[in-house]
Amino acid sequence: MRIDLGCGAHKFHDSYGIDRIAYPGVDLVHDFNERLPMKDHSVSFVMASHSLEYADNLMEVMKELYRVCRHKTIICMVVPYAHVSNHMVNPQFKQLFNEHSPRYWTTSPDRILNEDEYIISQNMSWSAPEIEAENEQPLIDFRLIRMEFFYFPAYNSGFDQQELSLLRQSQLNVANQMMMHLLVVKQPITQAELQQINDSEKFEEPDVITELRETSAAKENKERLFYLDHMQPIIRQQTKKKVDKKVVAKKTNAKKMDNKKTNAKKNDLKKTDARNTDALNEDILDPDTMNIDNLNTETVNTDTKQTDTKNKDIKDTDNKDADIKDSEVMRSAAKKTDTKLTNTKITDMKKTVTKNTARAKTMPKQQSALTSKINNNKKAEAPLKKKSHRSLKANNTRSV
């Protein structure tokens, strides 16, 4: 069953129209603030275009929708955006919506929404903790699959999505209305399944939204009314996060691919080994295959011999390297001993030089002492020579 909640005078196609006013085409005149006259798990699609802002108690209406919907039912919700001045003061609007509203309709942290859509937030977790719960089970679980914003004419062109997100969340009168597609979750579901639904599902929307999107895309570019200089640090931070996430995702994907390849090779080897063992056990192999196995064993033996010879060569080279290292150590030790000997020789030479210099200093004094002794001896010998000469003369005269 497909229902259009608060359909008004323009009921969505192929739907069961519910409204409290009997407009043309309304199938059930009923106030959706009251309990819906439908069975549990009986609704397969819900359209709620500009109706939920008039709800007296939004959470009670969401609980009632959760009751009547089946698992994986899509709810299309078109609501006025909260950050508009006339929406804030409109007395008929009992509920206001923005990009953070879906966080209060689930307890799951899983999301497929881009972070740029709710970057101005103190709470980094997607699910809001204030949601009610009974017996540790959530009362409702609506997962946001898709979210789109529609802007005032001045912002229909000239801005990218990140700039529009910053403007929308920081200034008034930028976005006019928003459309959300929610998935009703009543059984366990993975994030991969959510992403698959987002990629493959053709989301239904009101004809008014389709026309609005086409007219906004057809308008020409206009000059920007606001400058984003004060938002540049946030923009740079968000772009850096995006680049880092892409790099990390590429690395993780590459690692996963490598692991898959290695695991596939291992599995193939295991399968081939198992097949060979099974064939050997059942004696299915013919002589040709046995010969092939023998050849394989021979090749394995030759490979082992070659590896042994290579290992021997490596050991020989290692021994040669060790001998070279030992010879180098001996040379360095000989050099050290030679340097020690040369140092001792130099010290001995220095000692002899100091002795010779000391002797050279004492030589003049010794020479002067010797010359003085010689002179004294000469002086002492002179009178003796005269006496001997006189005695010789006297002897000669006596003989005559």
Side-chain angles (χ1 to χ4, degrees), residues 2 4 7 46 73 100 109 152 156 185-186 203 235 296 309:
R2 295 161 56 93
D4 187 350
C7 62
V46 177
T73 295
H100 298 282
F152 285 99
N156 283 329
V185 176
K186 293 188 174 183
F203 297 101
I235 293 171
N296 290 326
T309 54

Side-chain angles (χ1 to χ4, degrees), residues 158-395:
F159 299 92
D160 58 23
Q161 291 299 320
Q162 190 174 9
E163 292 173 344
L164 287 172
S165 177
L166 288 168
L167 287 170
R168 183 183 72 238
Q169 297 181 67
S170 61
Q171 299 181 18
L172 289 175
N173 303 323
V174 177
N176 185 23
Q177 55 185 339
M178 60 184 295
M179 180 174 65
M180 294 176 282
H181 285 87
L182 305 174
L183 182 72
V184 177
V185 176
K186 293 188 174 183
Q187 298 175 9
I189 191 170
T190 62
Q191 181 138 1
E193 289 178 309
L194 293 174
Q195 189 65 49
Q196 185 178 4
I197 292 170
N198 184 23
D199 296 336
S200 60
E201 187 75 19
K202 290 183 179 180
F203 297 101
E204 297 183 78
E205 62 185 19
D207 295 334
V208 177
I209 294 296
T210 306
E211 294 173 0
L212 180 63
R213 191 185 295 111
E214 291 175 355
T215 54
S216 61
K219 290 183 179 180
E220 296 180 355
N221 293 330
K222 294 184 179 181
E223 186 179 359
R224 296 186 182 188
L225 298 180
F226 299 96
Y227 294 95
L228 296 172
D229 295 337
H230 62 290
M231 294 290 182
Q232 288 303 319
I234 300 174
I235 293 171
R236 284 194 294 269
Q237 186 178 3
Q238 294 300 319
T239 52
K240 186 179 179 182
K241 285 182 180 179
K242 285 183 180 179
V243 172
D244 294 337
K245 284 184 179 179
K246 287 181 181 179
V247 172
V248 171
K250 286 181 180 179
K251 288 181 179 179
T252 53
N253 290 327
K255 288 181 180 178
K256 287 179 180 178
M257 292 297 292
D258 293 333
N259 291 326
K260 285 181 180 179
K261 288 179 181 178
T262 53
N263 291 325
K265 288 180 181 178
K266 288 179 180 178
N267 292 325
D268 292 335
L269 291 171
K270 287 180 180 179
K271 288 179 181 178
T272 53
D273 292 334
R275 288 173 183 172
N276 292 327
T277 54
D278 293 335
L280 289 170
N281 291 325
E282 293 176 359
D283 295 327
I284 295 172
L285 294 175
D286 57 359
D288 295 330
T289 57
M290 294 297 290
N291 291 325
I292 290 166
D293 291 333
N294 292 323
L295 290 171
N296 290 326
T297 54
E298 289 177 357
T299 54
V300 170
N301 291 324
T302 54
D303 291 332
T304 54
K305 288 179 181 180
Q306 289 178 359
T307 53
D308 291 333
T309 54
K310 286 181 181 179
N311 290 323
K312 287 180 181 179
D313 294 333
I314 291 166
K315 286 181 181 179
D316 293 333
T317 53
D318 291 334
N319 292 324
K320 287 180 182 179
D321 293 332
D323 294 333
I324 290 165
K325 288 181 180 179
D326 293 333
S327 63
E328 288 179 353
V329 171
M330 293 294 290
R331 286 176 185 174
S332 63
K335 285 181 181 179
K336 287 181 180 178
T337 54
D338 292 334
T339 53
K340 287 181 180 179
L341 291 171
T342 53
N343 289 325
T344 53
K345 287 180 181 180
I346 289 166
T347 53
D348 294 332
M349 290 291 290
K350 285 181 179 180
K351 288 179 180 179
T352 54
V353 169
T354 52
K355 287 180 181 180
N356 291 325
T357 53
R359 287 178 182 177
K361 287 180 181 179
T362 56
M363 282 296 288
K365 292 180 180 180
Q366 291 177 356
Q367 287 178 358
S368 62
L370 289 170
T371 52
S372 62
K373 283 182 181 181
I374 292 165
N375 291 325
N376 290 325
N377 291 326
K378 285 181 180 181
K379 287 178 182 180
E381 288 175 355
L384 292 172
K385 285 180 180 181
K386 287 180 180 181
K387 286 180 180 181
S388 62
H389 185 69
R390 287 176 182 175
S391 62
L392 288 170
K393 284 182 178 182
N395 290 324

Side-chain angles (χ1 to χ4, degrees), residues 58 81-83 96-106 113-130 144 147 149 165 168-170 178 180 182:
L58 180 62
Y81 190 62
H83 303 168
L96 294 176
F97 302 85
N98 64 7
E99 51 278 311
H100 298 282
S101 296
R103 295 172 56 213
Y104 294 90
W105 303 333
T106 182
L113 183 67
N114 190 357
E115 288 183 357
D116 292 341
E117 299 298 340
Y118 64 101
I119 56 177
I120 301 176
S121 175
Q122 294 180 355
N123 188 1
M124 296 307 292
S125 176
W126 170 245
S127 63
E130 292 85 3
L144 181 65
M147 184 163 57
F149 297 89
S165 177
R168 183 183 72 238
Q169 297 181 67
S170 61
M178 60 184 295
M180 294 176 282
L182 305 174

Side-chain angles (χ1 to χ4, degrees), residues 51-164:
S51 58
L52 293 177
E53 60 266 26
Y54 302 104
D56 295 334
N57 189 338
L58 180 62
M59 291 303 292
E60 292 298 325
V61 175
M62 297 299 288
K63 290 175 186 177
E64 190 63 15
L65 286 175
Y66 188 76
R67 180 185 67 82
V68 300
C69 286
R70 299 174 185 170
H71 178 58
K72 291 187 178 180
T73 295
I74 298 293
I75 298 176
C76 179
M77 186 185 300
V78 181
V79 291
Y81 190 62
H83 303 168
V84 179
S85 56
N86 62 347
H87 294 171
M88 293 177 181
V89 298
N90 191 342
Q92 295 180 348
F93 288 171
K94 299 176 184 179
Q95 307 295 331
L96 294 176
F97 302 85
N98 64 7
E99 51 278 311
H100 298 282
S101 296
R103 295 172 56 213
Y104 294 90
W105 303 333
T106 182
T107 57
S108 174
D110 295 336
R111 57 168 178 78
I112 57 175
L113 183 67
N114 190 357
E115 288 183 357
D116 292 341
E117 299 298 340
Y118 64 101
I119 56 177
I120 301 176
S121 175
Q122 294 180 355
N123 188 1
M124 296 307 292
S125 176
W126 170 245
S127 63
E130 292 85 3
I131 192 168
E132 297 179 6
E134 288 182 358
N135 298 323
E136 298 181 356
Q137 293 293 328
L139 296 176
I140 58 175
D141 192 0
F142 296 99
R143 308 289 179 88
L144 181 65
I145 301 296
R146 185 168 173 264
M147 184 163 57
E148 186 177 0
F149 297 89
F150 300 93
Y151 297 89
F152 285 99
Y155 299 94
N156 283 329
S157 60
F159 299 92
D160 58 23
Q161 291 299 320
Q162 190 174 9
E163 292 173 344
L164 287 172

